[in-house]
Amino acid sequence: MGRSRRTIPEELLLLALDPTTGTTAQPQSLDLGLAGAQLVELALAGRIAPDGDRIAVVVPRPTGDPTLDCALELLRRRGAPVRAVHWIGGPRLGLRQTYLSHLERCGMVHAVAGQMCGVLPTTRYQATDTEISREIRARLDSAIRTGVPPDPRTAALAALAHAVGLGKHLYPGNEGRSSRSRLRDLIRHDPMGGLVAHAVMDVQNGVAAQPRRNSAPAARQAPGGRGAPEPARGVPAQPRHGSMARAVAH
């Protein structure tokens, strides 16, 4: 696959970056979202395909993207289709930092060194080209505003943004309520994006042990709190997570 097009993991991370603080919104759930976004990108590249609630490798040929190819190889080594919820819920140490470093090498962000409490070193990331982030955001805004079914990439990005809890980051306050509602509704426009988004929310809800019985699960109640997606029609909501104790790119 060519590198002229940004991948969905890259776009999800750029959406989550706060332009003022240089931190990422919803850092813990974002790690799950990035793992899910890799699956969607591999599916769009024709390397994997859904098999019920499982993911099967159909073309093991590398994509040319090192991070995606690492995920593809791990999936291939499984030898059999793996449940999306098990894949996303597996250990993903350093995945967010891997993508932040990649965006820095590509010149889309730059690292800003600092200290926490005047002692612990920290690294924050500022976008170097805000036009890129505005273009990504404009695609979501257009899909929300017009009601026209978005392209698969935008639909999958919207589904993942909702799944990791970016709705209140992108569309805050009471004035953003209708936009958040329409954002979660975009989950239905891409089957693979919907499968992965549901898996991300299932991992957060701790219900990964049981296989999904159908493609339209009943809504589950989740405790409220800042950053938690609002319950959707037929879409499970996520519980609030505690913050990760990270000194780097938190």
Side-chain angles (χ1 to χ4, degrees), residues 32-146:
L32 302 175
L34 289 172
Q38 287 185 314
L39 293 181
V40 177
E41 192 65 49
L42 287 170
L44 290 171
R47 300 313 196 265
I48 64 174
D51 180 6
D53 66 347
R54 297 176 182 268
I55 303 297
V57 175
V58 292
V59 177
R61 186 177 71 252
T63 66
D65 181 302
T67 309
L68 290 176
D69 289 341
C70 179
L72 179 63
E73 176 61 15
L74 290 174
L75 285 166
R76 186 193 66 80
R77 290 178 184 176
R78 294 292 185 97
V82 58
R83 287 185 64 204
V85 71
H86 287 163
W87 172 260
I88 291 169
R92 293 290 177 272
L93 295 178
L95 186 58
R96 180 159 35 102
Q97 184 59 49
T98 295
Y99 273 106
L100 283 168
S101 299
H102 168 72
L103 291 178
E104 185 181 16
R105 289 193 300 271
C106 293
M108 285 189 274
V109 302
H110 70 276
V112 179
Q115 288 184 327
M116 180 185 297
C117 302
V119 179
L120 297 176
T122 63
T123 305
R124 299 171 186 265
Y125 292 85
Q126 303 285 163
T128 56
D129 187 352
T130 55
E131 182 62 31
I132 294 176
S133 296
R134 284 197 295 267
E135 183 273 328
I136 298 170
R137 175 68 178 271
R139 282 164 41 211
L140 288 186
D141 290 345
S142 177
I144 287 172
R145 183 179 62 255
T146 64

Side-chain angles (χ1 to χ4, degrees), residues 8-19 21 23-34 37 96 133 136-137 140-141 144 154-173 176-177 179-184 187 197 200-201 204 225-230 236-241 250:
I8 293 176
E10 293 164 7
E11 292 194 329
L12 183 65
L13 185 51
L14 286 171
L15 274 179
L17 273 179
D18 189 303
T21 65
T23 60
T24 52
Q26 300 298 100
Q28 189 167 353
S29 57
L30 183 61
D31 290 343
L32 302 175
L34 289 172
R96 180 159 35 102
S133 296
I136 298 170
R137 175 68 178 271
L140 288 186
D141 290 345
I144 287 172
T154 301
L157 181 62
L160 286 162
H162 168 70
V164 303
L166 290 183
K168 291 185 178 180
H169 168 71
L170 298 171
Y171 307 103
R177 182 179 295 274
S179 292
R180 294 195 299 270
S181 176
R182 289 192 289 270
L183 176 69
R184 70 177 178 236
I187 201 170
V200 168
M201 291 185 283
Q204 294 177 86
R226 185 177 178 179
E230 299 167 14
Q238 63 172 338
R240 182 179 178 180
H241 274 64
H250 60 292

Side-chain angles (χ1 to χ4, degrees), residues 192-211:
M192 184 65 180
L195 168 66
V196 169
H198 282 302
V200 168
M201 291 185 283
D202 279 349
V203 171
Q204 294 177 86
N205 277 318
V207 295
Q210 297 299 321

